[in-house]
Amino acid sequence: MSRKVTDKAVGNRPARHVKTIIIGSGFAGLGLAIRLSQQGRTDYLVLERGSDVGGTWRDNTYPGAACDVPSHLYSYSFALNPNWTRSFSKQGEIQRYIRGVAERYNVLDNHLFDCDVTSARWNNDTSQWEIESSKGRFTADTVVSAVGALCEPALPDIKGINEFEGEIFHSARWNHDADLSGKRVAIIGTGASAIQIVPAIADKVGHLDVYQRTAPWLLPRMDRPYLAPERFAFKHIPGVQRLSRAAIYAARETQVVGLAKLPAIMQGFELLAKAKLQLEIRDPELRKKVTPNFRIGCKRMLISNEYYPALSRDNVDVVTEGIKEVRAGSIVTQDGTEREIDALIVATGFHVTDSPIFETIAGKDGRTLSEVFDEIGQQGYKGSAIANFPNMFFLLGPNVGLGHTSMVFMIESQINYIADALSTVDRLGLRTVEVRREVQDTYNRELQRKLSKSVWNTGGCASWYLDKHGNNTTLWPDFTFEFRRLTKKFDVSAYETTSSAGDRKVVA
C-alpha cells in the first residue's frame, strides 16, 4: 500500500498525504475500498475508529442480535456466501462474513484501525481536505464519508439517569460483563434492537420492565436453518444462489408500491400483523397496550416470533406511562409509580438526522455539515454529494435509507457512482468537483414530492425518518432499481468543476 509522506503540515505537525481517504469500514467503506483496489488504486486509506471492520455488526453484540433482511440478499453481490447457516443470519455470522471478505480481497493493509476522526476541513488554498484524528494528521484530495446512520447511540434525556447506581448501558454498547441473571431489569425502547433483546433475556432475569413509548407493528419472522441439500446446492450448483437472491429481491421490492406509492395497500400487511397480535397475546389489557395507533410502515416494520410471547411472561411487564425520573435504584413514571431495578438497558436508537459526525466536517465556506443541515435540512444529491463540500462523497448519505430490503444494494449503487466519479476526475484532469446547489435543490424538491404520498409521511406517526424541518431526509421513495439507474454513471455536468491548473472548467 502506498504511504506517501509530504512536507505538508496541519498545525505544527507533519501531515501524511493520501489521495483518497475513506472514513468508516462497515459494509459501505469496506465495499468502496475493495472497488478502489479492483480499479488498481493503491493510494487510499480507510480510517476506522473501531478495532476491526464491520461497523454496526461489529458494535451490536447484544443478546439476540440478528438481521431482518434474508441472508442471501444481505451480502455483497460480488462476494456471495454459500455457507449461510440460516435464512436470517445472526450478528456473529454476519461479522465473520464481513471480516472474511476483507481478508479475501486483501484490503486490510489499507486500513488504520482505532483511528477516530476528530475533524475534516476543506482548505480552499490547497484544494485539499485536512483531517485530524487520534492517529495523526492527514491531507487528502478526496474524502468519502462511509459513516453509517446507526453508529452513534442516542441516549434519552431523562432526569436523574446519570445518577443511577446499577448497571446501565446502551444496546449498541452491550456490557457482557454484566450478569443479569435473577436481576430486576428495565429496558427503555421497543424498536428493532429491543424486540430482539427482550426475548433473549426474559427467561434469565428475575423481572423485566419494558418501557414503551410507541408500540411497533410486528410481522412474522420467516427464519429457519438451511437444510444440508440447500447448502450443497448454494455451494456447488451454478446459479442457484443468485436465483435465490433474485427471488428474495423481487419479493421485497413489491413492498415499495404500498410504502411509497399507494399506502392503502399496506392494509394487507396490517391485517396480517393484527392477526399475529391476536394469536400471540391473549390478555386483552396487554394486547391493547401493544397495539399501534398508526398505519403499518409509517415506522420501521419489525419481524419477530418471540417478542409477543416474551411480553406475556409472568416476570415481564409493559409500562406505557412516561418516565418522570431515574433514581439511584429505580424508575419513577409520570403517575408516581416507582419500580425498583438493578440494571437499566437503553435501547433508544441512534443519532440519524443529528449525528455528531456532522459537527466535525467543515466545507469551503467554513460551515460544518451540522450548520448546513440546521439551515436547509439534511439534503444531498443522490445521497452521494452535498453542495459546499467539494471533493467529498457520501456513502449512506441523505435519503438512501430503506424500510423493506437490503441496504447493501443501495451501498453498491453508490459505490458505482463514486468509483466512476474518481475515474472521471482523473480522466478529465479535474482538481475539484462540487455538486451545483441548484441541481441539489431540484433533486430534493422531487424527493419530497414523492415522499409526500408515502406511508412514512401520511401514516400518522412521528419517527426518526423526519428531521426538525418535518422533511423525510432518511428514506428513498422509489424502487431501488431506479436508484441503481440514477447512480450507474457519474453525471459530471451536475457539478461545478475546476481543472488541475486551478481554473473553472465547465463539463457538459
Side-chain angles (χ1 to χ4, degrees):
M1 179 182 65
S2 173
R3 286 290 184 268
K4 181 180 178 182
V5 179
T6 74
D7 293 330
K8 173 73 182 174
V10 182
N12 296 319
R13 297 174 57 191
R16 181 165 62 192
H17 182 76
V18 184
K19 188 173 179 63
T20 304
I21 280 182
I22 302 168
I23 303 174
S25 191
F27 260 111
L30 176 60
L32 181 60
I34 292 170
R35 178 65 63 85
L36 296 186
S37 291
Q38 290 174 330
Q39 287 184 329
R41 299 177 185 274
T42 58
D43 194 8
Y44 73 88
L45 187 62
V46 184
L47 306 182
E48 167 56 55
R49 71 177 180 181
S51 58
D52 200 356
V53 297
T56 189
W57 294 108
R58 178 198 62 233
D59 294 340
N60 284 268
T61 60
Y62 58 80
C67 191
D68 58 5
V69 175
S71 306
H72 286 303
L73 190 58
Y74 199 76
S75 54
Y76 295 118
S77 64
F78 57 84
L80 299 188
N81 178 19
N83 298 314
W84 293 121
T85 61
R86 56 191 313 112
S87 53
F88 287 83
S89 300
K90 296 184 178 180
Q91 176 269 333
E93 191 169 14
I94 296 173
Q95 176 61 11
R96 288 191 295 274
Y97 164 77
I98 297 171
R99 175 72 189 192
V101 171
E103 293 173 347
R104 188 191 324 169
Y105 286 89
N106 197 30
V107 296
L108 291 174
D109 285 346
N110 288 68
H111 280 67
L112 189 59
F113 292 110
D114 299 309
C115 180
D116 189 17
V117 174
T118 55
S119 74
R121 305 188 69 87
W122 176 255
N123 187 316
N124 288 308
D125 295 330
T126 62
S127 295
Q128 290 180 342
W129 284 94
E130 298 176 345
I131 298 101
E132 296 189 37
S133 78
S134 59
K135 288 281 183 83
R137 302 186 176 201
F138 305 87
T139 60
D141 298 332
T142 304
V143 169
V144 181
S145 171
V147 178
L150 307 182
C151 70
E152 291 290 345
L155 300 175
D157 183 15
I158 299 175
K159 179 183 176 182
I161 195 167
N162 294 325
E163 310 304 320
F164 182 66
E165 295 179 355
E167 294 284 356
I168 179 172
F169 47 86
H170 192 278
S171 58
R173 302 292 184 267
W174 193 270
N175 181 4
H176 291 277
D177 293 329
D179 184 7
L180 302 181
S181 301
K183 301 291 181 62
R184 299 167 299 183
V185 180
I187 181 168
I188 302 175
T190 52
S193 299
I195 69 155
Q196 294 181 341
I197 294 169
V198 168
I201 67 172
D203 63 345
K204 300 178 179 64
V205 303
H207 187 84
L208 179 63
D209 291 323
V210 180
Y211 284 84
Q212 171 191 282
R213 184 173 61 179
T214 306
W217 282 110
L218 263 64
L219 293 170
R221 185 178 182 87
M222 311 302 288
D223 187 25
R224 64 176 180 84
Y226 282 125
L227 302 175
E230 292 176 296
R231 297 177 69 179
F232 178 87
F234 292 144
K235 192 168 187 176
H236 297 289
I237 301 178
V240 170
Q241 190 176 10
R242 289 205 177 274
L243 182 61
S244 174
R245 179 185 174 96
I248 296 169
Y249 172 79
R252 291 263 167 166
E253 205 67 5
T254 61
Q255 296 182 29
V256 175
V257 179
L259 291 169
K261 300 180 182 296
L262 297 171
I265 293 177
M266 297 305 296
Q267 291 176 359
F269 287 95
E270 199 163 304
L271 288 173
L272 176 61
K274 286 180 177 178
K276 176 181 174 65
L277 180 58
Q278 186 80 18
L279 180 66
E280 295 181 358
I281 294 189
R282 297 297 187 180
D283 178 14
E285 183 179 347
L286 177 59
R287 188 187 309 136
K288 182 178 180 181
K289 278 185 176 182
V290 298
T291 299
N293 60 359
F294 54 88
R295 177 164 292 176
I296 193 170
C298 184
K299 287 178 177 285
R300 182 177 175 183
M301 294 184 291
L302 306 179
I303 56 174
S304 176
N305 298 331
E306 293 84 28
Y307 182 66
Y308 287 152
L311 296 185
S312 300
R313 292 176 58 95
D314 291 338
N315 68 327
V316 177
D317 286 326
V318 177
V319 183
T320 57
E321 293 83 9
I323 297 175
K324 181 180 180 181
E325 65 176 314
V326 176
R327 294 178 179 171
S330 63
I331 293 179
V332 181
T333 50
Q334 296 293 345
D335 62 356
T337 302
E338 183 174 6
R339 295 174 175 84
E340 294 186 351
I341 58 171
D342 304 305
L344 176 57
I345 301 167
V346 180
T348 48
F350 301 85
H351 291 282
V352 178
T353 60
D354 61 344
S355 175
I357 191 70
F358 298 160
E359 299 176 5
T360 67
I361 301 173
K364 69 178 186 181
D365 64 1
R367 289 186 301 161
T368 63
L369 264 177
S370 181
E371 291 170 324
V372 171
F373 287 162
D374 187 61
E375 177 185 337
I376 66 172
Q378 189 174 330
Q379 298 180 12
Y381 179 62
K382 299 185 178 180
S384 305
I386 298 173
N388 189 55
F389 296 86
N391 289 19
M392 187 169 202
F393 295 99
F394 296 82
L395 289 162
L396 302 171
N399 288 106
V400 298
L402 300 173
H404 68 288
T405 193
S406 175
M407 278 304 302
V408 183
F409 185 92
M410 301 294 275
I411 287 168
E412 289 194 21
S413 298
Q414 288 192 285
I415 287 172
N416 293 339
Y417 188 76
I418 295 171
D420 192 52
L422 297 178
S423 296
T424 301
V425 166
D426 290 346
R427 186 179 72 253
L428 298 180
L430 302 178
R431 188 177 191 182
T432 64
V433 291
E434 177 193 354
V435 66
R436 300 174 190 273
R437 177 61 186 270
E438 66 272 17
V439 172
Q440 178 176 298
D441 289 345
T442 300
Y443 177 82
N444 280 276
R445 281 195 296 269
E446 178 62 14
L447 279 182
Q448 294 305 318
R449 184 191 68 78
K450 289 183 176 181
L451 284 162
S452 67
K453 300 180 292 184
S454 72
V455 69
W456 308 304
N457 284 39
T458 64
C461 72
S463 74
W464 55 267
Y465 297 151
L466 309 180
D467 68 7
K468 71 172 191 175
H469 300 277
N471 293 321
N472 187 330
T473 59
T474 306
L475 297 176
W476 171 247
D478 210 329
F479 296 105
T480 59
F481 56 75
E482 177 64 14
F483 186 78
R484 176 64 59 91
R485 183 189 67 80
L486 288 176
T487 53
K488 185 176 182 180
K489 287 288 186 180
F490 179 65
D491 48 345
V492 67
S493 61
Y495 290 73
E496 191 79 36
T497 64
T498 61
S499 70
S500 296
D503 55 308
R504 181 176 177 274
K505 186 171 185 176
V506 178
V507 182

